[in-house]
Amino acid sequence: MAENPDGQCVICNKIMCNSSLVPAKLRRHLDTNHPQLKDKSLSFFERHKEVQKTGVAALHKYAKTDNENATEASFMLSYRIARAGKPHTIAEDLIKPCMTEIVSCVLGEDAAKKITAVQCSNNVISDRIHKISDHIQDELICRLKNSKMFAIQLDESTDVAGLSILLVFVRYPFKGSIEEDLFLCAPLETNTTGEEIFKVIDSHMSKHHIEWNKYIDVCSDGAAAMIGKIKSTVTRIKSVAPKCSSSHCVLHRHALVTMKISYELKTVLDQAVQIVNYVKSRPLQSRLFKKVLFELRNELKIFFTKQPGSASTNAFVDLLRDEVWLIKLAYLADIFDKLNVICKALQGKTTNIFTVNDKISSLENKIDFWIECVDQHNYECFTILNELQVTSDVEKNIHEHLISLKKSLKEYFPEKLQDMNWLQNPFANHTKPSMLTVSEYENLIDIKCSSSLKQKFGAENFDLNNFWIGLQDEYPTIVEKAITILLPFVTTYRCETGFSAYAYTKNKYRNRLDAAPDLRIQLSDIKPNFSDILRKYVKKFHSSH
């Protein structure tokens, strides 16, 4: 039996004394402690010995010093701070003192001394965040270069320092799923025209050597600089990306639908807003009137009566005593509540063209139902309005508004999903879709007849995107067509939430911050590999890092 140079058994690592190394005693140790190996050849024990030597060498090779561990901990801490959108000074001012006290209390003073090696000054945390952000961006760029196609959404806003900020999010297939990430966060130095926005995006594309012909769709908010026919960003993108289509954010379209309102109802809405703003300008009363304006109309009348006499308060009292005005307000409260439910349903990362089609179709049918109810003088579908006696004049206003709402919905959502049932449910009975070739339809038949795929389709936590991408190797042509339809954004929701995160990170107390690195870490789903970051950016580990 082979033993280590240190006199250890190569199997159990038991240290053998010199007298135990004689062949007879080695045989007895083998028979007693490892009887299952007694018939193994000498080469088996020699291989086991080599494996042990290699493992020990590898362990020493990858063992980290205290300074290396402290540097990695500093990167991890910086990552957490950026993810939370917190000030960089919080590490030195709060986190490190707390860590030191906790470790000292739980593990003792010796362990607490190691915490002091974790450098976390404002400059160090900022440097770490920039390096992590660069690492995440490099990974994203690598993924996009290896991807056949991707889609973007973009929007522009102004930060607390008055700087115009452009956000661009990208959607791309990656390893059996569709991923979303922040592609670009950059300032617009001069103006916010379509030409300037395109220049910033094009510069970023050129810098990282990404091909324009991979673009398949761009989603925007519909602003003139974005979709204008002559000099818009979208037009310029289409000129360099021939396969690229464009879409108007459904949330913005839904907002445009709700803005179509008659003058009479618009006047009531504006007056209600004035009352709310008056109350909110007085903090105490604002806290007292947290309920819906309409539900507290009697309390509001008393409140305004007790206010010092003014033209505005007297006008508010008159409005709250006007039954016709209150009936119109009740209808507006009901209808906007219903429209807000639809708007919320259209938000989120999982919204796709089928979600939009279902919700808009549902709203169209509901409007038809509401019109029918109003024609029959039945207001049960409007909770607040149903408590009041609706006059014929107001009923006419309501009927006209619902007709206008239906017309606006058809104007801003003219497209209908046709010939796409195969994509939403490949297992349903349907004839050959016109958009599919013969070979693609044959692939669809294969998918439809697969019992295992059908079981997977109805599984819990099912995701339509992942289902189709999972078939990419077996049915590449039909899957590519499916991804082309599923990949584009239908809203600029990620940009809207991105600006909210940006405003939280770069606020009036940190108005000189370059928030782009923090924002990339905060919004990205790519997990950083700290070992790679350390190898790339930190050449020599020492406590001053």
Side-chain angles (χ1 to χ4, degrees), residues 255-311:
L256 292 172
V257 170
T258 62
M259 289 172 62
K260 294 295 181 73
I261 187 171
S262 67
Y263 174 78
E264 291 84 357
L265 293 178
K266 179 68 165 59
T267 302
V268 172
L269 184 62
D270 291 341
Q271 291 167 336
V273 170
Q274 291 175 10
I275 293 175
V276 172
N277 289 340
Y278 183 90
V279 175
K280 290 181 68 176
S281 66
R282 289 149 178 78
L284 175 59
Q285 285 73 23
S286 179
R287 292 193 296 272
L288 294 176
F289 293 113
K290 285 292 183 183
K291 291 186 178 180
V292 178
L293 166 64
F294 188 87
E295 295 177 355
L296 293 174
R297 56 189 183 278
N298 294 325
E299 288 82 354
L300 284 170
K301 281 190 288 187
I302 298 172
F303 167 72
F304 286 124
T305 303
K306 292 182 179 181
Q307 295 300 306
S310 66

Side-chain angles (χ1 to χ4, degrees), residues 130 233 258 287 521 523:
H130 277 74
T233 306
T258 62
R287 292 193 296 272
I521 294 174
L523 301 179

